[in-house]
Amino acid sequence: MKLGEVALVRSGLVLSRKAAKSPSPFRYSLLSLRAMSGEGEILEEELDVFHAAELLKEEYLTRLGDIIVRLSAPYTAVVELKSKWENIVVSSNFVIIRVDAQRVVPEYLAWYLNRSWIKRKIYKDSSSNMLGAAKSTLFRKMPLSLPSLEDQYRIGQVFLLARKESALLFSLAEQKKKYYEDILEQMNDRTRRNLS
């Protein structure tokens, strides 16, 4: 089975086609490359503001359950699970995947698209063009094997748990690093004061 048989796959919005020349009432948050981490998380503080010339079609706006995949390296998949991430404009640097919920669990698909052999396939396809960017057609034709919805759900939940744990461990490591840097600075300051 191909991904395009169980999901709507489309590129994001080419911003220049819909951008307003001045601030407009059609104001949206914008998902740009810097607003997605290498781990496939949306960095809320990095979302840009996009002023559209007109009301945008829903197909270019995020909604719960969407999978957003970066079309340039690193190819990371995001599952839109938080309602605060709804109605964000997705730029053409990404592909939007909307699954048929009767057949595919979004979290399972996010895990599937983050597997190393899939990423190698994307890299191989993208290295054949000058821009080094994957094409949305690659995702439509992507081979997909689907276990039962129950198994998909279980795999998806473990995937989300693993991502959450990794994020917490990274945060803890950063806090520990800062903690030890502060201690070492204080020790160094005391030593300098004692020497003078």
Side-chain angles (χ1 to χ4, degrees), residues 54-134:
E54 60 190 42
L55 188 65
L56 296 178
K57 293 180 182 175
E58 279 194 24
E59 62 197 42
Y60 296 115
L61 304 176
T62 57
R63 63 181 186 203
L64 293 178
D66 282 357
I67 309 291
I68 312 294
V69 183
R70 206 180 142 130
L71 291 175
S72 58
Y75 307 99
T76 50
V78 173
V79 183
E80 295 294 327
L81 292 176
K82 300 175 185 172
S83 59
K84 67 181 178 181
W85 290 347
E86 285 188 288
N87 297 313
I88 296 174
V89 176
V90 179
S91 73
S92 58
N93 297 311
F94 301 92
V95 68
I96 304 164
I97 303 172
R98 288 203 174 124
V99 299
D100 174 353
Q102 302 297 313
R103 301 174 73 186
V104 184
V105 174
E107 297 83 358
Y108 170 81
L109 183 59
W111 167 77
Y112 187 86
L113 292 174
N114 273 301
R115 296 174 73 189
S116 55
W117 74 270
I118 293 285
K119 288 188 178 186
R120 282 193 301 273
K121 185 174 180 54
I122 296 169
Y123 275 106
K124 184 178 176 188
D125 181 74
S126 61
S127 65
S128 65
N129 67 52
M130 283 180 39
L131 297 175

Side-chain angles (χ1 to χ4, degrees), residues 8-67:
L8 174 67
V9 181
R10 67 165 302 114
S11 296
L13 177 68
V14 177
L15 300 176
S16 60
R17 293 182 185 162
K18 297 291 183 180
K21 296 194 183 342
S22 60
S24 80
F26 307 109
R27 183 178 177 196
Y28 299 89
S29 293
L30 170 66
L31 181 63
S32 60
L33 289 175
R34 77 165 183 263
M36 184 189 280
S37 74
E39 292 76 40
E41 294 293 324
I42 291 179
L43 306 172
E44 194 170 356
E45 65 280 1
E46 295 293 337
L47 291 171
D48 292 323
V49 175
F50 179 70
H51 291 276
E54 60 190 42
L55 188 65
L56 296 178
K57 293 180 182 175
E58 279 194 24
E59 62 197 42
Y60 296 115
L61 304 176
T62 57
R63 63 181 186 203
L64 293 178
D66 282 357
I67 309 291

Side-chain angles (χ1 to χ4, degrees), residues 116-175:
S116 55
W117 74 270
I118 293 285
K119 288 188 178 186
R120 282 193 301 273
K121 185 174 180 54
I122 296 169
Y123 275 106
K124 184 178 176 188
D125 181 74
S126 61
S127 65
S128 65
N129 67 52
M130 283 180 39
L131 297 175
K135 297 178 183 135
S136 59
T137 53
L138 169 72
F139 292 93
R140 280 188 207 98
K141 296 176 182 175
M142 185 78 64
L144 181 65
S145 58
L146 292 176
S148 71
L149 283 172
E150 190 176 289
D151 287 342
Q152 288 181 50
Y153 177 78
R154 280 198 290 267
I155 291 168
Q157 291 307 300
V158 172
F159 171 68
L160 291 179
L161 181 63
R163 279 179 111 174
K164 188 173 185 179
E165 184 177 341
S166 293
L168 288 170
L169 288 171
F170 178 78
S171 176
L172 178 63
E174 289 296 306
Q175 289 174 20

